[in-house]
Amino acid sequence: GESVGLHLPTLSVQEGDNSIINCAYSNSASDYFIWYKQESGKGPQFIIDIRSNMDKRQGQRVTVLLNKTVKHLSLQIAATQPGDSAVYFCAENIDSNSGYALNFGKGTSLLVTP
Amino acid sequence: EAQVTQNPRYLITVTGKKLTVTCSQNMNHEYMSWYRQDPGLGLRQIYYSMNVEVTDKGDVPEGYKVSRKEKRNFPLILESPSPNQTSLYFCASSPGVSMNTEAFFGQGTRLTVV
């Protein structure tokens, strides 16, 4: 079946640098994508989303880019802080007649070093 | 405070002893779902519910049951737990069914079956 995947399982960046986390998806029917952040011992938390009719969306210090041509999604975090250390998941929304499902990638661990 | 509450947070049980993990949301959301999270496999959907009395299988439903008698509650039932159901479980809710909306996650339940 089709799946969402991540290019890098771990990413280490220095505090203050920008971080880029990548995600590849293969389901061309996906119309909505979400990035979640999961801190140790907690459930996933919504960061930012993007619909398939957009190619860029910005939030506070975060930007999501969507390239539908190559089915690629990325999360950019500006001026990375120690509090950004977490596992980041991309998820695709597969809408169907029976409801919708979030298909999650396996996650990328971001470690911010001082 | 808007939240999804799971109980218990931690549970150790023996093979074959029936257990229930409760999930409750106070946001009047229609859609609720259960995920399990395993190392290297990410989040996989077990069951979901589009509304009261409407439930359906996700990607990994074997060995689990759910019920949705009320809008706010969506318990996960393991009739005869086995060691391969040792995992971290998350309940999630969201406002819509066929809508592109974020899911709100509970804090997780770490289950160990010995």
Side-chain angles (χ1 to χ4, degrees):
Chain A
E2 300 186 43
S3 62
V4 175
L6 290 166
H7 293 305
L8 296 172
T10 58
L11 178 64
S12 183
V13 299
Q14 272 201 309
E15 182 177 357
D17 288 350
N18 296 334
S19 303
I20 300 176
I21 301 172
N22 295 305
C23 177
Y25 67 96
S26 54
N27 189 340
S28 56
S30 299
D31 58 359
Y32 179 59
F33 304 88
I34 311 173
W35 280 100
Y36 283 91
K37 173 186 180 183
Q38 186 177 24
E39 296 174 281
S40 180
K42 297 184 179 180
Q45 286 184 293
F46 172 90
I47 303 173
I48 193 169
D49 60 358
I50 189 167
R51 287 170 171 72
S52 59
N53 61 351
M54 303 169 70
D55 53 23
K56 181 179 180 179
R57 189 157 190 230
Q58 286 184 292
Q60 189 178 15
R61 281 203 306 120
V62 294
T63 301
V64 56
L65 299 177
L66 175 63
N67 186 332
K68 294 181 286 295
T69 302
V70 296
K71 296 177 185 168
H72 184 267
L73 193 67
S74 69
L75 177 70
Q76 300 178 0
I77 305 174
T80 314
Q81 302 168 0
D84 294 328
S85 293
V87 176
Y88 290 81
F89 293 95
C90 63
E92 58 179 340
N93 179 5
I94 304 167
D95 208 346
S96 72
N97 292 333
S98 60
Y100 84 99
L102 282 177
N103 185 25
F104 284 84
K106 292 180 175 51
T108 292
S109 178
L110 176 66
L111 177 63
V112 182
T113 57
Chain B
E1 180 189 355
Q3 59 186 2
V4 178
T5 304
Q6 295 178 228
N7 278 297
R9 292 290 311 277
Y10 302 92
L11 179 60
I12 300 174
T13 190
V14 295
T15 299
K17 186 177 181 182
K18 181 179 178 180
L19 67 90
T20 299
V21 184
T22 64
C23 174
S24 180
Q25 50 93 4
N26 61 0
M27 296 169 278
N28 200 35
H29 286 170
E30 290 184 346
Y31 189 94
M32 298 184 74
S33 59
W34 276 102
Y35 294 85
R36 61 177 289 173
Q37 185 174 27
D38 302 289
L41 297 176
L43 285 148
R44 294 179 293 168
Q45 192 178 50
I46 303 171
Y47 266 94
Y48 64 92
S49 169
M50 294 189 292
N51 214 325
V52 175
E53 302 292 358
V54 181
T55 64
D56 211 341
K57 296 177 180 178
D59 296 324
V60 288
E62 293 77 20
Y64 304 95
K65 286 173 57 179
V66 292
S67 71
R68 190 86 182 276
K69 294 184 172 63
E70 311 164 90
K71 200 171 189 178
R72 64 182 293 125
N73 296 322
F74 190 45
L76 179 69
I77 303 155
L78 284 72
E79 294 273 5
S80 182
S82 61
N84 64 12
Q85 292 179 297
T86 293
S87 186
L88 179 58
Y89 291 86
F90 287 101
C91 178
S93 75
S94 57
V97 177
S98 294
M99 289 170 59
N100 297 155
T101 57
E102 65 173 284
F104 294 82
F105 284 82
Q107 292 287 72
T109 295
R110 186 166 292 281
L111 172 67
T112 301
V113 184
V114 298

